[in-house]
Every structure is written in structure tokens, then in C-alpha cells.
Amino acid sequence: MLVKINGEDIDIPEGSTIEEAIDIANAPYSPGSLVCLIKGQSELEGNINKYKIKSPKGSVIIELLDTPEAKPLVDFWKSRYADFNGLSIRWANNSEVAVGPVTTDFKPSKENHEYRDRDVLLSLSGFSRDATHIIFAKDDTENVYGVPEGTGNGVFAKVIGGIRTLRNLTDDDDVTSIEPIIERSTVTDSSSVNELSTELKEGNQLFTYCLVEPNTQSPKSVEQFFSVIYDNKIKVDYESNTFIGEFWLQGITKPVEEISERERGTVTLRNTGKGKGKIYIYREDRVRVGSHTTIGKVVKGMELIDIAKYGDVITIHSNPEPIKTLTKTQKEVEEELNARGIKQERTGITDDNAIVVEQIPNDTMDIIKQGSVQTKGLNKENLVLIKMVDNAPRTRWYFDKLTGLVEKPIGTLDVYFAVKDMHIFMFKGDDKEAKGILPENTPNNTVKAGSIGITNMSRKNLGIIGIRTEDNDEFGPTAEPFEGTNIIGEVVSDIIVIKNLKDADTVYIKEVNPERIDEEILEDDYANEEFPQDSDMMDESIEKALK
């Protein structure tokens, strides 16, 4: 039987389940993610109530009426609108524009009716079924249009967009195309979220992932988006009628890049204010604002965005895919870049087995633009592996943010002081970013060699990072008393790499147990945040208040 999977026709055996269909089609899907099932195209189109009518002079948008008298004409339009594609503007004057003709089975009435500016009606011109036209009213008027009997005044829609275009049309123009407008309500009224064991039927439509086309004009903001979808998934942290939000990297600052209209399917990054770093995917059109950088557009799978609820996980891919060279060998990177037509320039340790720890440019869009990238290699034994604790979430967030681990698999630490006779190595911090680091996971007995600590706000040197290379029963890794030290993890690779460090050296680090910590560290922030400070949240609050 024939079904559509992510917009492609796929022939699958009768009785196949969603899970089996995904396997047969080799469709992108991350286990546990949302899927969307629509019974068929006719059901989807049955819930569409807006159409875009294109002409050489622009588009006119109409909205169908939901009244008993208009229903026969609405049904006609939904089944026959394609017949008007390519037809000419039959006539245009001060009061109306007519498109046609087509042949119908309606019986014309000879009654006079009143019409309002922007009414859209069906007219059997000259009382002939073979001369059925669509009439767009440009002014209040009354006329005998030969509308179908039993349909009142024959009005079945209203013009809601493109008024200027309508008024500029002449009989030299034609209809180039008519497109149904898919809105969130169209999808939510037609779709269901199903278990993977659900059996598919002939004509079903299944959506398993979203495909985003990144904006080449916003490379740094796009790279943050790539960090969020590193595992090809996003989690819905906020959901409203107009957008869904993913807030994992809230607080990360990116420069303002391209600002554009936030149309349905647009992906943006908040670039300022308390909500900076939040990612939004729009379900409905919104005006452009300077606080939102445009980072991409959903080009496939908007159905999943439409039905997603708070806490849902959505499989998401991008085209082009991000260029991620870190943690791979120079040779592995060479092969991947060659396949994409990107030139590699090896720096640092250039051996095939060297681990790539930096890429320049860092951002995928910039690499694609220039067609080349420098990859800095490091001997594997010189990469410091660390294991993080799970009971110091706020301090860990600071550490990951400062080192770059929040966005990349390999981070860096710059040596501030290497006090070898005290077996302490301290690294540069950021006292502004460190504000609010309360004591958490402070040691109460021996601090073991390899422990990683950060000075908390009970001490003057807030935010300093330290690593001890020898056990100590009195002071932490930053030479502070235990109560002033938050332990966030330990070095699990050879400690000799740390012991050999000198002042101003840079050390490369990699977590062996990376995990997202957003829910832990931001939970209280969300609880205390006054969402109306964010313009999008404010709009939603107003909407709720009005209901």
C-alpha cells in the first residue's frame, strides 16, 4: 500500500506499523521522539480555510466562510480551486474583478443581492453554468450575479490580504497559481500523535523529523543552534499558539546578525535581554524585532512543530549539516571534508592519528563560504579527560560556559598560576559570569589529587578554577578553605599533563560523561522569571488574559 513518509511516496506492506514504516523508508527518527500521523491529504485539505491566489502583480489571500449558506460553495471551491489556475482576469472595473470561466452544475438565481467590499462570490454570469466566475468585490455594491440557488448572496469567502494587488489587477493579468495555506490549526485538526505500534492505512501521511535550512547570514547564531541539536533532537521547553521554545543555552550571548520577518517556520535566536540564547520556532507569522536573529527556516516537518507539546522531543536535522571536526582524528576529518568538498589545512600535530581540538573558522557557515578549514591536532595523550559530578549544577554550568564545553565537545583552560611546589594549578575565571555561585558540593574531608574545584562567592577570588595534583586535607584546588570551594569533577586521564603545565599555557579538556544540565540549573530561573519581560512571552500572557 502507498503512504507518504516525510512527504515522499513509500510503498509498504499491508498492516505495517509506524515503526516498521520508519525502518522500510529509512526515515530520520530518534527513538522517543514525536511522530505525526495524518490520515490523508483529503482530511488535511478539508481543514484548510485560507488560500493564496497568485498573479504577476502579487498575491491575494482569501479566507473561507463557515456558514450553512456558504457550505456548498466552500465545498465546490475546495474540490475545484485548481481549475482556476492559469485562467485570465476576465474583467476588472471599479467595483469588481472576475476570474474564469469554468463549468459547474449549479442552477443560477435571478435575485438582486447586496455585497460588501472584499466579498468573494460565485457567479453564473449570464445565468449560464458554462460561465461560472469567481467575483472579488472591490466596493460595497448590489447586483444580480446569477449566484447559485440556495446559497444566499453567493458569498463564500473574504479577501483578508493583498488588497492593493486586487485593486491593481487588469484584464491583461491572469492567475498563475492557487495555493492552500497550511496553518497550525490545519494540522492540529487533522493529525494525531501515535504509538510506533500504530498500524498505517492506505493514504496515511507520516512525519518523523524536521529539516531546517540554516541562514548563511547568521553564522555564529546558527552555530549555537547546531550545538543545541548536536544529537539531532530538540526538547520543547515552552509551547504557545505562536511558537515553541528551546531554552537549553539560555544565557549564551551571540552578536546580533540578520534580522528578518518571523514568518511561519522561521527559527530565531534571542540576542539580548534576560532571554538571550533562547531558540524559537514560529507556528504563525510575527513581525520582525531587533531582539531576534534569524537562524533558519523549517523546510520540512512543520507538522511536528504544530502538534508539539511542552516536554516533547522532536527529531531535527539541518541542510547543510554542521561541520564538527573536534574529537576526531586528522585522517577522519580529512575524509569527511573531502566528501563535502571542503579543503583541510592541518596545524598543530598533523599526524593522521592526532586528535582535532580546534577548527578555524569555528562556524560551519563560514567554513562552507570559504571552502576550507584549519584543524589543529593534539597528541591523544595530551588531551585531559575529566569526569563531572552531578550535585553542583550551577557551578558546572559556569565551568562549561567558561571553557566552551557547553557548545563544543572539547574546551580549553588557560593557566593563571602554576604553583608546582604546592601541587596546585589555577586557571583564569570570570568574576562577572561567576556571580551567584553559592557553595555546593563543598568538600568535608580529603581533597583527592586530580580534583577540580571553583572558588564560590564566599571568597574574594570568586570563579577561579583549580586542579590539585596531590591529596590535601585542608585546602581545595584553588587554595581556598573547604567552605570556599565547590568540587565539580576530577581528572581521569594521566595527571602528568597537568603537572607539566606552565603559566599562560592552554590545556584542552574533554568530558567523559557529558550531559545536559539545563533542567537542573535553570529550573529556578524559569520559576522566578517574569516571562512578560520577553516580548513573545508578553504577547502570550496578553492572549491568555483576554481568554
Side-chain angles (χ1 to χ4, degrees):
M1 64 180 180
L2 198 63
V3 299
K4 280 187 179 292
I5 301 179
N6 298 313
E8 302 293 331
D9 287 333
I10 304 293
D11 195 2
I12 62 175
E14 293 277 350
S16 295
T17 64
I18 290 178
E19 184 173 21
E20 291 166 342
I22 290 173
D23 290 339
I24 293 170
N26 195 26
Y29 177 74
S30 299
S33 297
L34 190 65
V35 295
C36 175
L37 178 63
I38 296 176
K39 292 181 180 179
Q41 185 67 21
S42 59
E43 181 187 22
L44 180 64
E45 291 187 355
N47 290 313
I48 293 172
N49 69 342
K50 293 178 184 176
Y51 291 79
K52 180 181 290 186
I53 303 168
K54 295 185 177 181
S55 76
K57 291 181 177 173
S59 299
V60 175
I61 299 174
I62 66 170
E63 182 173 20
L64 305 180
L65 300 183
D66 184 18
T67 64
E69 287 184 331
K71 188 178 185 309
L73 303 181
V74 167
D75 291 343
F76 162 79
W77 172 259
K78 288 186 176 183
S79 64
R80 296 280 305 276
Y81 71 87
D83 293 350
F84 291 88
N85 281 332
L87 296 185
S88 63
I89 304 300
R90 193 63 182 276
W91 68 82
N93 53 41
N94 291 334
S95 61
E96 64 196 39
V97 171
V99 178
V102 299
T103 300
T104 64
D105 293 328
F106 291 116
K107 183 178 180 180
S109 73
K110 298 183 179 181
E111 296 180 13
N112 186 63
H113 294 285
E114 294 184 353
Y115 298 93
R116 298 293 183 187
D117 182 21
R118 306 185 189 186
D119 280 347
V120 184
L121 61 134
L122 198 68
S123 166
L124 278 66
S125 305
F127 308 111
S128 171
R129 295 174 179 176
D130 295 327
T132 303
H133 292 80
I134 300 296
I135 305 292
F136 300 86
K138 295 165 58 177
D139 201 352
D140 293 351
T141 186
E142 62 176 80
N143 208 333
V144 178
Y145 279 116
V147 300
E149 288 186 349
T151 63
N153 63 357
V155 175
F156 68 93
K158 295 284 289 187
V159 175
I160 61 170
I163 304 302
R164 180 177 298 178
T165 297
L166 180 64
R167 300 194 188 288
N168 289 334
L169 290 175
T170 70
D171 54 13
D172 292 327
D173 296 315
D174 53 19
V175 173
T176 57
S177 69
I178 301 176
E179 299 175 358
I181 296 177
I182 306 296
E183 298 180 295
R184 185 191 176 216
S185 59
T186 306
V187 176
T188 54
D189 289 345
S190 308
S191 63
S192 57
V193 184
N194 294 74
E195 298 292 334
L196 296 186
S197 58
T198 300
E199 186 176 309
L200 295 177
K201 304 295 183 183
E202 180 84 27
N204 283 176
Q205 296 189 57
L206 179 66
F207 300 90
T208 65
Y209 82 110
C210 290
L211 182 64
V212 172
E213 186 176 284
N215 180 15
T216 59
Q217 303 304 310
S218 303
K220 296 191 181 301
S221 301
V222 166
E223 204 64 27
Q224 177 164 329
F225 174 69
F226 285 157
S227 296
V228 169
I229 65 167
Y230 74 97
D231 57 354
N232 294 126
K233 293 186 292 187
I234 59 168
K235 184 179 180 182
V236 180
D237 292 319
Y238 186 86
E239 184 255 335
S240 71
N241 289 331
T242 53
F243 65 90
I244 63 170
E246 211 281 2
F247 299 165
W248 173 40
L249 293 184
Q250 178 182 354
I252 301 296
T253 302
K254 296 296 177 184
V256 177
E257 296 178 293
E258 185 170 73
I259 308 297
S260 65
E261 299 297 325
R262 295 176 292 173
E263 299 175 344
R264 172 175 161 81
T266 298
V267 186
T268 69
L269 179 73
R270 178 92 179 184
N271 58 44
T272 189
K274 190 171 183 178
K276 63 184 179 182
K278 294 178 179 179
I279 288 175
Y280 298 76
I281 303 178
Y282 285 88
R283 291 167 161 169
E284 297 179 2
D285 294 352
R286 298 289 292 277
V287 298
R288 62 185 290 163
V289 289
S291 58
H292 281 259
T293 295
T294 301
I295 58 177
K297 180 83 170 181
V298 176
V299 296
K300 182 181 290 188
M302 266 303 295
E303 292 79 3
L304 291 164
I305 302 299
D306 287 331
I307 68 171
K309 302 294 184 184
Y310 172 78
D312 282 340
V313 174
I314 301 171
T315 300
I316 191 162
H317 289 253
S318 68
N319 182 26
E321 295 180 347
I323 295 174
K324 299 291 188 183
T325 65
L326 275 56
T327 73
K328 300 171 183 176
T329 67
Q330 292 275 29
K331 183 63 176 178
E332 289 171 338
V333 169
E334 177 186 329
E335 294 172 351
E336 291 184 13
L337 292 177
N338 283 342
R340 298 184 64 167
I342 304 293
K343 181 181 178 182
Q344 179 193 26
E345 180 184 343
R346 298 186 185 187
T347 63
I349 306 301
T350 60
D351 296 346
D352 282 354
N353 292 326
I355 302 299
V356 176
V357 293
E358 285 187 32
Q359 65 181 39
I360 301 174
N362 177 71
D363 304 328
T364 298
M365 296 294 103
D366 288 338
I367 295 172
I368 293 174
K369 182 178 181 180
Q370 72 178 33
S372 64
V373 60
Q374 293 181 6
T375 56
K376 182 176 182 178
L378 186 73
N379 287 327
K380 185 176 181 179
E381 58 269 21
N382 289 330
L383 180 62
V384 175
L385 303 180
I386 60 176
K387 184 177 181 180
M388 309 301 285
V389 300
D390 59 6
N391 56 350
R394 293 182 181 275
T395 315
R396 272 195 59 188
W397 175 255
Y398 164 77
F399 179 82
D400 284 353
K401 193 174 178 181
L402 191 68
T403 59
L405 286 171
V406 72
E407 295 185 85
K408 299 183 290 186
I410 292 180
T412 58
L413 283 171
D414 296 323
V415 178
Y416 191 35
F417 290 121
V419 192
K420 296 186 178 183
D421 57 343
M422 294 179 61
H423 310 287
I424 289 177
F425 294 79
M426 289 188 285
F427 306 87
K428 293 179 181 178
D430 186 323
D431 56 354
K432 291 183 179 179
E433 290 286 352
K435 287 181 179 179
I437 296 182
L438 298 169
E440 57 179 354
N441 196 38
T442 55
N444 51 26
N445 47 42
T446 302
V447 172
K448 298 292 184 180
S451 294
I452 306 170
I454 294 178
T455 300
N456 62 43
M457 63 186 301
S458 70
R459 289 294 181 269
K460 180 180 179 180
N461 295 315
L462 172 65
I464 292 292
I465 301 168
I467 299 177
R468 272 207 170 273
T469 57
E470 188 177 80
D471 294 358
N472 192 284
D473 296 329
E474 189 175 359
F475 296 100
T478 60
E480 298 285 0
F482 284 177
E483 63 270 20
T485 304
N486 294 354
I487 301 297
I488 61 166
E490 61 178 330
V491 175
V492 295
S493 55
D494 194 340
I495 199 69
I496 192 65
V497 177
I498 302 297
K499 290 181 177 180
N500 289 336
L501 291 174
K502 304 182 298 296
D503 290 358
D505 278 353
T506 295
V507 62
Y508 294 91
I509 58 176
K510 179 180 183 296
E511 292 184 24
V512 298
N513 62 331
E515 60 180 14
R516 295 189 175 189
I517 54 176
D518 54 314
E519 293 182 0
E520 298 165 303
I521 69 164
L522 296 178
E523 183 177 0
D524 291 340
D525 289 338
Y526 291 158
N528 296 326
E529 181 178 356
E530 295 181 4
F531 282 146
Q533 292 179 358
D534 185 319
S535 62
D536 294 289
M537 303 298 186
M538 182 182 296
D539 290 342
E540 293 303 321
S541 297
I542 293 172
E543 288 178 14
K544 292 177 181 177
L546 292 175
K547 290 181 178 178

